[in-house]
Amino acid sequence: MALQYTSDEMMTIAAARKIRNGAPLFVGIGLPSAAANLARQTHAPDTILIYESGTIGAKPTVLPLSIGDGELSETADAVVSIPEMFSYWLQGGRIALGFLGAAQIDKYANINSTVIGGTYQRPKVRLPGAGGAQEIAASCGEVLITLRHNKRAFVETLDFLTSGGYFEGGDSRAKLNLPGKGPTAVITDLGILTPDPVTKELTLTSVHPGVTVEQVVAETGWPLKVAPHVDTTPEPTEKELAVLRDLNERTARAHAGQQ
Amino acid sequence: MALQYTSDEMMTIAAARKIRNGAPLFVGIGLPSAAANLARQTHAPDTILIYESGTIGAKPTVLPLSIGDGELSETADAVVSIPEMFSYWLQGGRIALGFLGAAQIDKYANINSTVIGGTYQRPKVRLPGAGGAQEIAASCGEVLITLRHNKRAFVETLDFLTSGGYFEGGDSRAKLNLPGKGPTAVITDLGILTPDPVTKELTLTSVHPGVTVEQVVAETGWPLKVAPHVDTTPEPTEKELAVLRDLNERTARAHAGQQ
Amino acid sequence: MAHITQLSDAIRDAVRDGDIVALEGFTHLIPYAAGHEIVRQAKRDLTVIRMTPDVIYDMLIGSGCVKKIVFSWGGNPGVGSLHRLRDAVEKDWPLPIEVEEHAHAGMAAMYAAGAANLPFGLLRGYIGTDLTKHNGRIKFIDCPFTGEKLAAVPAHRPDVTVIHAQKADRKGNVLMWGVVGVQKEAVLAAKRSIVTVEEIVDDLQAPPNAVVLPYWVVGHVCEVKGGAFPSYAQGYYARNNAFYKKWDDISKDRESFTSWMDKHIKGTKDFAEFKLSLAGQTLGGK
Amino acid sequence: MAHITQLSDAIRDAVRDGDIVALEGFTHLIPYAAGHEIVRQAKRDLTVIRMTPDVIYDMLIGSGCVKKIVFSWGGNPGVGSLHRLRDAVEKDWPLPIEVEEHAHAGMAAMYAAGAANLPFGLLRGYIGTDLTKHNGRIKFIDCPFTGEKLAAVPAHRPDVTVIHAQKADRKGNVLMWGVVGVQKEAVLAAKRSIVTVEEIVDDLQAPPNAVVLPYWVVGHVCEVKGGAFPSYAQGYYARNNAFYKKWDDISKDRESFTSWMDKHIKGTKDFAEFKLSLAGQTLGGK
């Protein structure tokens, strides 16, 4: 019996599967938080959730709406100041995995969350900006990027390089001496891209069930490199879907109560 | 009726009198701590005692034997880490007054608490070293130095410059851009020396009761500058002596119990 | 040295036209009541600093108080854009706004440097990113031991920092707990400070090593119950997520923003009246 | 990742001949039991780091474990000199000792830099003093914004840091309170760590914003009741001032030091036996 699920659910579940049990994880709001908490409630119960608000080892029962919700600090093993979080913990090199979203991404997994169109001084769209993304991209052991796959997002040239992936590809990241190794996967609602080991160019290595390679290529704003053999992402399991939906429902109920 | 008191009591009381009520004060163990707590129990009840162990606003009932005794942290308004104490509080320029002792002092109120005799690598006497003294000397609004007056301590040339007073005198401290203004008095068991406003050379401005100017000059290892008019330090009051002795007795009782 | 006073007096006294002002709070304990009062008193030409400017900065910008913003993430957390910030940057409304943009780690280092009386903060950061092309206040230095290239950013030294905390005692010692953000550093880095609190109590009953600002490093202390609404004060009230969502509608266009501000902020005399003005109706009054 | 073990196993596993070792504690929570065990296991050629080396470092130095000391204040607090440190520096007994000397602010900055994965720490310090003439690891840099001269000191990155704390839970999360010194930084800066605690409990019951080291940043966790004696553990026992005074006699000459160490440290199998060996007699056994 085939399960019914949305492409966003597939994306979240595919991201959750990348989380190794026990890893300290830098979590943002939205999909990363959903993926991390899904992982914690399925295959990776000892995942250590770290939110940039300073909450270390948070164990939320519902997904937070802000990065510093009360439930995060109440359930955390430690709550530290922001300067300490960024210096001793993130820059300190203690975080194995970071999640990033983006408004734009290029073929070397560099991302833009600053401005779209126009000039920097007079942009067409002013986005929120870097926040902690630059340091996550630079200092986490590895980085997973999640975003919806379309040509507006997957662009040949970024309007602004907010956070570095592999810069101009090849050894250009290595030359900058950044502590973390960079993005190891880009997980979208269509499939999974991973960097080529040498050129660092993002390569389509998996498509989600029901998605074709041609579709992914068509939604990418540069000539997408495709692996010789493209996997099909395993479908969500019944358990994964049940846990994710339960998490989302509990979250919606909890937040609806906060008027 | 003349009161009986020791020269160490006079020194402590003379130091305590220099403390302005309400001033945040960086306190070391021994005489500075006695003077600060005496002041707090007499003319300066709102003096804010800060010990370098991180205890801010400590209100001990007996004198601590170490700079981080339990009573200090239990009675403090805030207890911070050592890096925070030295960066945000001392270097931050928040401390009005610091106390320093010394093994040696020169005419420009530079002090040595590092080595005596021999060479630095192979000294005759290895002293404990700088501790927090360099930063107290550099960053407190002003500094009071207390030590017993004799030719072994008051020397023409320091064996080692641990913490700076006025360096080579004149504007040499000002040229180094240190935040604090430097030592404003040296209080000994014989009298009080203050820096000349221009040359910064220590000048005898007060002798304690019963002490002669000649005696102070004889106990100083350089040709001591003497003010045209030398005051006599007011005798300890009955209250000052009673409070100081009570403090010392309570301290002795409390610490004797800690076997 | 702390003095306990009314919020309106504190803002009148401590926030001056042209000041560099930091209203800090990292998702928690955001000083909304104080921000409203800055709008009511129509302060002008402010340079506003904050890691995460959110709805209260949208209010300040849309009300014409702000000349320049220094920040690292400007959005409505959990919701989306700050429409008033965007309108100022994209279309100069109501005034052109100068932008000095950083990343979080840089902003944190700038506050910490200010608190520590250092002229600059040091971090591994900014390398290879476009922020350095547009922000001349990000420089690089070489480590004198390893030769590594590290970022240097100038210390924040606000004229006045405004924060909200849970408690103060009658001397003005301030206690906060939970997500404490960069508030201690922001106060210690500033020339003046205003702290609004949920309550003023006889005894803070602070646990060991709690985040306490001693009375002699804070300025005005004002009791403003609920003063962090719609953000939250741990131990007192939860975040009002509905207001954050509603703000998206209120602020989307200039007219609805202006009429909402006129009615609920400028048309009320203080935070208590503001809360009353919201209570009698659906949020935003549309 | 924390594992709960015996202290003797922890020292055997984590402290290696030639290591850079920091046993930290600022008058409070000094890891005496762990220091004794280093003496018992006769570790050699250690570089020992500490802001305030005290009696436990005297024991290590006099026992021939130490090749180099990095410090900012070396004394018997409230009493006077460290005779074994002095004998090593002044007369090469039992071995010559290399000295790298700093001031407190510099040492604190070095640990903080290590914890923050920065190659150096920045401070206003050392200017005009003689320490810079004898310590080549103190350098000066110019602020890229103001041109001011500031001190730079290299990060501490110990091979192993050893501390004592009040509590751990069964996962290995560590809680300390009171005077917390530079212990968090020293652990975070180190490759490996050993934490002795007064007790291992089911639930730390840590207050908000307490100083907690999560289990995944500490190494060995060992329950050693009273393990900070003769220093103190707030909430458990007071400082034993008599022992600090008695140490002045014990350590004053080489023979009395050696016989005391042979009897009470080397002649006992662990900290519990050490305490028993002291209990049956006046301190120091003379």
Side-chain angles (χ1 to χ4, degrees), chain C residues 32 34 46 52 54 73 79 109 120 127 130 144 157 166 169 184 201 208 228 237-238 242 248 256 263 266 268 282:
Chain C
Y32 272 91
L46 303 180
T52 52
D54 68 343
W73 191 89
V79 179
F120 74 98
I127 287 174
D130 281 352
R157 300 306 300 249
Q166 280 108 332
D169 66 18
K184 180 192 263 193
V201 297
Y237 46 90
D248 200 54
S256 70
K263 177 167 179 186
K266 295 182 189 163
T268 56
T282 57

Side-chain angles (χ1 to χ4, degrees), chain A:
Chain A
M1 187 195 78
L3 288 165
Q4 298 289 316
Y5 55 90
T6 68
S7 59
D8 274 8
E9 286 173 334
M10 182 72 252
M11 173 161 63
T12 306
I13 289 165
R17 289 172 181 162
K18 297 278 187 190
I19 295 170
R20 291 184 308 281
N21 193 25
L25 194 65
F26 215 81
V27 188
I29 289 305
L31 190 142
S33 186
N37 281 288
L38 171 57
R40 203 165 62 80
Q41 289 176 38
T42 53
H43 69 285
D46 296 324
T47 298
I48 299 150
L49 306 192
I50 299 168
Y51 290 82
E52 69 186 4
S53 60
T55 55
I56 297 171
K59 293 168 268 297
T61 56
V62 301
L63 300 178
L65 273 189
S66 91
I67 220 160
D69 273 16
E71 203 194 5
L72 300 179
S73 69
E74 281 163 3
T75 61
D77 293 325
V79 181
V80 302
S81 74
I82 291 290
E84 178 174 333
M85 173 52 64
F86 280 92
S87 61
Y88 291 177
W89 297 87
L90 183 52
Q91 182 178 272
R94 282 167 235 292
I95 319 293
L97 183 64
F99 269 104
L100 291 174
Q104 290 181 331
I105 186 168
D106 71 13
K107 67 163 70 99
Y108 295 119
N110 303 300
I111 64 179
N112 173 17
S113 53
T114 303
V115 289
I116 302 278
T119 63
Y120 173 75
Q121 279 73 22
R122 177 51 54 106
K124 194 144 164 296
V125 181
R126 173 68 234 195
L127 301 166
Q134 292 195 343
E135 286 75 34
I136 293 169
S139 291
C140 285
E142 61 180 298
V143 170
L144 297 178
I145 298 170
T146 56
L147 76 172
R148 294 206 182 89
H149 211 132
N150 59 60
K151 284 189 144 176
R152 279 189 311 138
F154 284 70
V155 297
E156 180 73 47
T157 307
L158 298 179
D159 291 352
F160 190 97
L161 194 163
T162 308
S163 305
Y166 296 102
F167 299 93
E168 288 97 47
D171 61 355
S172 61
R173 181 183 173 101
K175 280 188 182 153
L176 294 177
N177 269 319
L178 301 178
K181 71 178 172 186
T184 51
V186 177
I187 298 157
T188 80
D189 51 345
L190 300 182
I192 300 174
L193 318 183
T194 53
D196 179 276
V198 175
T199 67
K200 304 298 183 186
E201 183 173 338
L202 288 175
T203 309
L204 181 64
T205 50
S206 189
V207 290
H208 297 330
V211 177
T212 64
V213 169
E214 293 66 34
Q215 213 178 325
V216 183
V217 169
E219 293 291 355
T220 303
W222 68 83
L224 180 64
K225 204 176 157 193
V226 176
H229 170 76
V230 175
D231 290 329
T232 301
T233 312
E235 292 220 318
T237 66
E238 221 164 314
K239 168 134 197 228
E240 285 169 335
L241 265 183
V243 170
L244 177 60
R245 286 171 183 176
D246 180 54
L247 195 56
N248 283 329
E249 274 162 33
R250 273 185 290 126
T251 300
R253 260 203 313 280
H255 293 149
Q258 286 172 28
Q259 294 296 332

Side-chain angles (χ1 to χ4, degrees), chain C residues 44-101:
Chain C
R44 288 293 176 269
D45 294 323
L46 303 180
T47 292
V48 292
I49 304 181
R50 182 141 164 231
M51 292 183 66
T52 52
D54 68 343
V55 169
I56 189 66
Y57 276 49
D58 225 24
M59 293 180 181
L60 290 168
I61 292 164
S63 303
C65 304
V66 176
K67 177 180 68 178
K68 177 179 176 182
I69 185 168
V70 184
F71 78 109
S72 42
W73 191 89
N76 183 343
V79 179
S81 285
L82 290 180
H83 298 295
R84 296 299 98 223
L85 170 62
R86 284 187 55 181
D87 206 12
V89 172
E90 296 166 13
K91 293 178 184 136
D92 290 347
W93 192 91
L95 296 165
I97 189 168
E98 190 186 340
V99 167
E100 178 181 329
E101 189 167 1

